């Protein structure tokens, strides 16, 4: 049972959690969100919206000729994450509204026919968007923002076409130049070397995270051993033997530290050799093997020190095992083992600074993700 807790449980947790969290860690560009599109428009607007959805590369479009109620039922049932309904005559409604707007503006400037500008029968174009129940608000906001950006550009291009037509430019019909984007965003990379090009994915997070969790779970076995020796008289017999008690304690700590280091090695091997066969990325351990060894030794010292403390404070095995397990789980939750600390509330991020599992995980992330060395992680090791 002890061997299973120390070795099999962390290995199982790494595999399970890496598989579960693989999709959330992936870039949206790697996902394909099922989208049901009902395009009742026969003009250019429907075609341009469909083209924009295809170019986004994050949706898998299914086109069906369904009624509004049928679309609603399919999205509600979870067959599709998103449903979009483009009404009939959408192009005609848009063109009419834009034409009226242009005529009004030109008439105000004394360049157009005032009789056309007085027509107030313009109709608003409504595109219906349906989301599956339970869809997160942040996801809805992202999709709606993307659609509004595309539709805004389309409206502006249509306005430009009508202004050109009304002002009788030298351009031939249908040859209006596409609207040029005057503001562009250029991404400047902060990565200087290939070693820094590693991204936080489910493997890079879960392998060190659950390795640390497994190492700290040694508190149950270690505290139980200390209490057992105290209860059955072994501790008294050891104290009567020649030599320093520090030697005895150091021997116990050294033995359990060796187990922690074996745990760490096995978990890293799982990330490098087993997880890739399950369709997950290979664990990248960076370039500082010495840094990994130092971080592992400091984590093992913290875990065994915690075990000695629990075994000293509590008097029964039940007390030590219950407190040890619950406290490690709480420290793991605070330390970013379950989910990365940066997506937690600000209050929890402050509390995370109190968790030794957070210090250890930060050290491993510095090495695995940022090309860190011993000098980079020394502050976490000292903690």
């Amino acid at each position: 049972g002890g061997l299973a807790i120390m070795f099999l449980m962390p290995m199982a947790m790494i595999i399970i959690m890496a598989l579960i969290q693989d999709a959330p860690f992936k870039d949206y560009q790697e996902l394909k969100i099922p989208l049901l599109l009902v395009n009742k428009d026969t003009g250019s607007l429907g075609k341009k919206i469909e083209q924009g959805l295809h170019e986004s590369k994050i949706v898998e479009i299914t086109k069906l000729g369904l009624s509004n109620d049928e679309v609603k039922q399919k999205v509600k049932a979870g067959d599709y994450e998103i449903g979009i309904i483009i009404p009939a005559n959408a192009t005609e409604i848009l063109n009419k509204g834009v034409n009226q707007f242009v005529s009004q503006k030109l008439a105000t400037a004394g360049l157009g026919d005032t009789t056309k500008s007085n027509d107030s029968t313009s109709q608003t174009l409504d595109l219906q968007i349906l989301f599956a129940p339970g869809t997160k608000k942040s996801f809805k906001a992202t999709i709606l923002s993307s659609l509004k950006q595309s539709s805004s550009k389309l409206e502006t291009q249509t306005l430009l076409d009508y202004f050109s037509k009304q002002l009788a430019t030298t351009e031939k019909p249908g040859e209006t130049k596409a609207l040029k984007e005057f503001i562009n965003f250029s991404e400047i990379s902060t990565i200087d070397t290939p070693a820094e090009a590693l991204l936080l994915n489910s493997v890079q997070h879960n392998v060190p995270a659950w390795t640390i969790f497994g190492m700290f779970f040694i508190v149950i076995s270690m505290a139980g051993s200390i209490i057992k020796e105290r209860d059955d008289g072994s501790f008294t017999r050891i104290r009567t033997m020649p030599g320093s008690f520090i030697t005895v304690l150091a021997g116990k700590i050294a033995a359990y530290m060796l187990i922690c280091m074996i745990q760490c090695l096995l978990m890293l091997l799982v990330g490098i050799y087993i997880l890739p066969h399950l369709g997950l990325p290979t664990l990248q351990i960076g370039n500082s093997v010495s840094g990994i060894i130092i971080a592992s030794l400091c984590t093992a010292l913290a875990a065994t020190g915690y075990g000695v403390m629990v075994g000293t404070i509590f008097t029964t095995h039940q007390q030590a095992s219950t407190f040890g397990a619950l406290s490690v789980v709480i420290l793991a939750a605070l330390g970013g083992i379950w989910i990365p600390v940066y997506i937690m509330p600000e209050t929890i991020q402050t509390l995370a600074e109190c968790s030794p599992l957070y210090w250890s995980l930060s050290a491993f992330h510095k090495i695995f993700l940022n090309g860190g060395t011993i000098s980079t992680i020394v502050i976490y090791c000292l903690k």
Side-chain angles (χ1 to χ4, degrees), residues 178-194:
L179 182 65
K180 179 183 178 182
E181 292 184 355
F182 295 98
I183 299 177
N184 292 309
F185 292 90
S186 58
E187 180 180 352
I188 305 298
S189 176
T190 58
I191 297 171
D192 297 319
T193 63

Side-chain angles (χ1 to χ4, degrees), residues 23-324:
F25 271 100
K26 281 184 177 178
D27 183 19
Y28 278 118
Q29 294 296 332
E30 298 178 35
L31 303 176
K32 289 294 183 183
I33 302 163
L35 182 146
L36 176 59
L37 177 64
V38 178
N39 185 7
K40 301 178 182 180
D41 180 43
T42 56
S44 60
L45 177 60
K47 294 178 182 178
K48 288 180 179 178
I49 292 176
E50 186 177 341
Q51 180 183 355
L53 291 171
H54 278 291
E55 290 175 353
S56 68
K57 297 180 181 179
I58 66 170
V59 292
E60 184 177 356
I61 300 174
T62 302
K63 287 185 65 178
L64 295 174
L66 303 175
S67 67
N68 292 11
D69 288 338
E70 289 173 326
V71 174
K72 181 179 179 180
Q73 291 303 318
K74 284 190 172 293
V75 175
K76 185 177 181 179
D79 298 337
Y80 299 92
E81 192 71 24
I82 309 170
I84 297 179
I85 302 172
I86 304 174
N89 303 322
T91 303
E92 182 182 339
I93 295 171
L94 175 64
N95 289 340
K96 185 176 179 181
V98 169
N99 190 16
Q100 182 183 339
F101 176 80
V102 172
S103 299
Q104 288 176 343
K105 295 302 177 184
L106 291 177
T108 303
L111 298 174
D113 187 354
T114 56
T115 57
K116 290 184 179 180
S117 64
N118 292 328
D119 182 12
S120 59
T121 59
S122 61
Q123 184 179 351
T124 303
L125 175 59
D126 291 323
L127 302 181
Q128 298 182 11
I129 304 175
L130 301 89
F131 292 98
T135 302
K136 291 184 178 179
K137 291 183 179 179
S138 58
F139 177 76
K140 290 182 181 180
T142 301
I143 296 298
L144 289 172
S145 175
S146 178
L147 290 172
K148 286 178 180 179
Q149 183 180 7
S150 300
S151 63
S152 177
K153 186 175 180 180
L154 185 58
E155 288 177 7
T156 308
Q157 182 64 57
T158 307
L159 277 169
L160 180 62
D161 292 343
Y162 268 88
F163 267 115
S164 299
K165 181 179 177 182
Q166 291 292 334
L167 293 173
T169 62
T170 56
E171 295 172 348
K172 297 179 181 179
E175 289 189 357
T176 306
K177 293 181 180 179
L179 182 65
K180 179 183 178 182
E181 292 184 355
F182 295 98
I183 299 177
N184 292 309
F185 292 90
S186 58
E187 180 180 352
I188 305 298
S189 176
T190 58
I191 297 171
D192 297 319
T193 63
E196 297 176 351
L198 298 174
L199 299 175
L200 182 62
N201 55 42
S202 62
V203 172
Q204 296 295 118
H205 171 74
N206 281 292
V207 171
W210 294 106
T211 298
I212 296 164
F213 182 78
M215 291 168 75
F216 266 85
F217 238 78
I218 207 170
V219 63
I220 297 175
S221 177
M222 192 170 187
S225 171
I226 292 174
I227 293 171
K228 185 173 182 295
E229 288 175 359
R230 198 163 57 218
D231 290 344
D232 64 11
S234 300
F235 178 71
T236 303
R237 295 186 63 183
I238 289 173
R239 292 299 301 270
T240 62
M241 294 172 62
S244 170
F245 175 66
I246 297 297
T247 305
V248 177
L249 187 62
K252 181 179 289 293
I253 290 175
Y256 280 95
M257 278 188 66
L258 178 62
I259 293 174
C260 287
M261 296 302 289
I262 295 173
Q263 280 181 311
C264 186
L265 178 61
L266 285 177
M267 302 311 127
L268 294 179
L269 292 176
V270 168
I272 295 172
Y273 295 107
I274 295 180
L275 294 184
H277 292 290
L278 301 176
L280 295 169
T282 303
L283 176 68
Q284 304 295 327
I285 62 172
N287 300 318
S288 180
V289 176
S290 57
I292 295 174
I293 294 173
I294 296 297
S296 303
L297 283 171
C298 290
T299 304
L301 272 170
T304 51
Y306 193 57
V308 171
M309 185 192 75
V310 173
T312 303
I313 293 175
F314 294 98
T315 56
T316 68
H317 188 273
Q318 288 80 5
Q319 291 174 345
S321 59
T322 302
F323 176 82

